[in-house]
Amino acid sequence: MFTPAVDQRHGRIGIRHTLADGFHINVYSLAAARAGNFANPVASFKQPPMTADIDFQGWALYGSYVYLWEGEAYAGGPDPENATSKLWCYDINSGEVVDHLGAPRLCFGFASGVTGDRRANLFYRTKLV
């Protein structure tokens, strides 16, 4: 099984694939991949272990980080006390898990800047006051 993730901002493509010992991710220059050159990955590593018995949901590549999402469906809607969703952040340069988040968060954002040069401002709260 192969699944790609494209990071256009940094000109990279990641390919998640299975080998005999589990899932692996190779990261390539997007320009090299377009030319069919997969000989020199920017990074190549075995996917770090995640939570046992929780389903893998998806992944993304951005800069030097791979984000891995796992979780299960909720029978009656989200239940923060019994949440199984978790987002893992993995640094492809150091080979270390940077963080893993399972707590619910309220995320919000707004745009700023002048027309033609807008910025997205994103924030989150873990507690409501």
Side-chain angles (χ1 to χ4, degrees):
M1 171 195 312
F2 293 88
T3 56
V6 176
D7 174 3
Q8 291 189 10
R9 170 82 169 112
H10 298 96
R12 293 181 171 176
I13 184 169
I15 306 295
R16 182 176 178 262
H17 58 282
T18 54
L19 294 176
D21 65 343
F23 286 96
H24 289 253
I25 297 174
N26 290 352
V27 179
Y28 302 95
S29 154
L30 193 52
R34 281 188 189 126
N37 180 358
F38 294 94
N40 299 308
V42 173
S44 182
F45 53 91
K46 183 174 185 210
Q47 178 179 301
M50 296 171 65
T51 309
D53 299 324
I54 301 294
D55 291 333
F56 177 80
Q57 297 294 329
W59 74 289
L61 169 67
Y62 188 76
S64 295
Y65 300 97
V66 165
Y67 299 90
L68 304 158
W69 180 34
E70 64 181 16
E72 302 292 338
Y74 301 105
D79 177 6
E81 298 299 319
N82 297 305
T84 60
S85 293
K86 190 180 286 186
L87 180 66
W88 295 81
C89 180
Y90 182 80
D91 185 326
I92 67 174
N93 295 316
S94 71
E96 299 290 327
V97 172
V98 176
D99 203 356
H100 52 84
L101 307 170
R105 294 181 174 190
L106 170 65
C107 299
F108 55 96
F110 60 90
S112 65
V114 297
T115 301
D117 189 25
R118 301 294 248 170
R119 302 287 187 263
N121 302 278
L122 303 173
F123 302 91
Y124 71 89
R125 299 213 33 121
T126 55
K127 296 183 182 192
L128 300 177
V129 289

